[in-house]
Amino acid sequence: MNRAFSRKKDKTWMHTPEALSKHYIPYNAKFLGSTEVEQPKGTEVVRDAVRKLKFARHIKKSEGQKTPKVELQISIYGVKILEPKTKEVQHNCQLHRISFCADDKTDKRIFTFICKDSESNKHLCYVFDSEKCAEEITLTIGQAFDLAYRKFLESGGKDVETRKQIAGLQKRIQELETENTELKNKVQDLENQLRITQISTSPAASVTPKSPSTDIFDMVPFSPITPQSTTPTRNGTQPPPVPSRSTEIKRDLFGAEPFDPFNCGAGDFPPDIQSKLDEMQF
């Protein structure tokens, strides 16, 4: 292994200061993973970590798993590890937390760096596999350190504290966004439950109209005691009204009672007419 920052004074850097201070330098590599280490620096420390993660990679390969590809974005603010297609940030290693960086001279595909985790405060060694750019990536991280240190001297240390505060605020914003998303999901679930409860307890859903009982001919039974129901029959037609029986004597339009020759009394006609009427009855 070789320390990336122990370069000769006359060695020129690969990138312009503007590229690392205002933008970032991207690289593609395979990510073997990260593992906790006891010390923040040291060649033997990273060598043991590389050996451990290489062995884990061989086991995963035998099981048919592929080594994931990642994109590295290197700047004076740190090293970001992203998913190449979605650009989702998997790890954000701030530069002031990186304590050691090296490439493996026995295996030129491998390079590593040690970073102190912001949550657990443990030192983690990140190991990568790059077919052609392992040494170049290590030198780029070294150049980012050099530029960051110069900026630190120019600002009197205020720039580092500002970056720490910004990083803390960004982390808090991400936590609040996660909490906001969870609260929105809970509110949506409660609204759905309330809507289901209102539908199940509404009077229209619980009361069913009662239909009148019918006989085998699908007719409403007649009861002389109770008045006839005005409910229409099953076929939708209204039963005809029952004519009322009246004891009143019908009269003609002149107010006279209708004439019935057979119901008239004997004293109603002259004797000659009455005798003829009697003959007609026989």
Side-chain angles (χ1 to χ4, degrees), residues 16-268:
T16 62
E18 291 77 12
L20 287 166
S21 60
K22 296 182 180 180
H23 304 284
Y24 60 83
I25 306 299
Y27 290 99
N28 293 321
K30 293 182 179 180
F31 186 33
L32 274 67
S34 62
T35 182
E36 184 181 354
V37 292
E38 301 253 342
Q39 301 295 329
K41 61 180 65 178
T43 303
E44 291 298 326
V45 175
V46 294
R47 182 178 287 117
D48 292 339
V50 169
R51 189 182 301 112
K52 178 180 178 181
L53 292 174
K54 275 187 174 182
F55 180 74
R57 181 178 65 169
H58 287 309
I59 294 177
K60 291 180 180 179
K61 276 189 175 182
S62 64
E63 296 174 351
Q65 299 182 25
K66 294 182 179 180
T67 305
K69 296 180 180 180
V70 295
E71 178 182 330
L72 300 177
Q73 294 181 356
I74 303 172
S75 68
I76 62 172
Y77 302 105
V79 179
K80 288 184 179 180
I81 305 172
L82 300 87
E83 206 284 326
K85 294 182 179 179
T86 63
K87 302 299 181 182
E88 180 183 358
V89 179
Q90 299 177 352
H91 302 278
N92 186 10
C93 303
Q94 299 173 6
L95 203 65
H96 68 275
R97 291 185 173 274
I98 297 177
S99 56
F100 189 80
C101 181
D103 59 272
D104 192 346
K105 295 305 179 183
T106 60
D107 188 353
K108 295 186 178 182
R109 301 167 58 100
I110 303 297
F111 69 95
T112 68
F113 63 82
I114 298 176
C115 180
K116 188 176 182 180
D117 186 68
S118 59
E119 296 181 358
S120 63
N121 285 329
K122 295 179 180 180
H123 294 284
L124 302 177
C125 182
Y126 294 82
V127 181
F128 302 89
D129 183 345
S130 178
E131 186 175 356
K132 298 180 181 180
C133 302
E135 184 177 4
E136 180 180 338
I137 294 173
T138 305
L139 292 173
T140 302
I141 296 176
Q143 183 180 359
F145 266 100
D146 186 74
L147 292 172
Y149 181 68
R150 291 180 184 179
K151 195 171 184 179
F152 170 78
L153 294 177
E154 293 173 358
S155 63
K158 295 181 180 179
D159 187 62
V160 175
E161 293 299 325
T162 302
R163 288 205 303 269
K164 287 182 180 180
Q165 293 177 3
I166 292 174
L169 291 174
Q170 289 176 345
K171 181 180 178 182
R172 183 56 182 161
I173 290 172
Q174 186 175 2
E175 292 175 353
L176 290 174
E177 288 178 350
T178 304
E179 293 177 2
N180 188 29
T181 303
E182 293 176 354
L183 288 174
K184 285 183 179 179
N185 294 333
K186 289 182 180 179
V187 170
Q188 185 67 34
D189 293 339
L190 289 174
E191 289 179 352
N192 294 336
Q193 292 177 5
L194 181 61
R195 191 179 297 109
I196 294 173
T197 304
Q198 290 176 346
I199 293 174
S200 61
T201 57
S202 61
S206 58
V207 179
T208 56
K210 295 183 178 179
S211 59
S213 58
T214 57
D215 57 14
I216 59 174
F217 299 103
D218 200 21
M219 300 290 292
V220 179
F222 170 74
S223 175
I225 300 175
T226 58
Q228 187 176 5
S229 174
T230 59
T231 305
T233 59
R234 292 290 182 87
N235 56 8
T237 60
Q238 190 75 19
V242 178
S244 60
R245 298 180 180 181
S246 177
T247 58
E248 297 181 357
I249 300 174
K250 296 182 180 180
R251 300 178 182 273
D252 58 14
L253 76 128
F254 298 105
E257 296 180 2
F259 172 73
D260 187 355
F262 300 102
N263 292 330
C264 295
D268 294 337

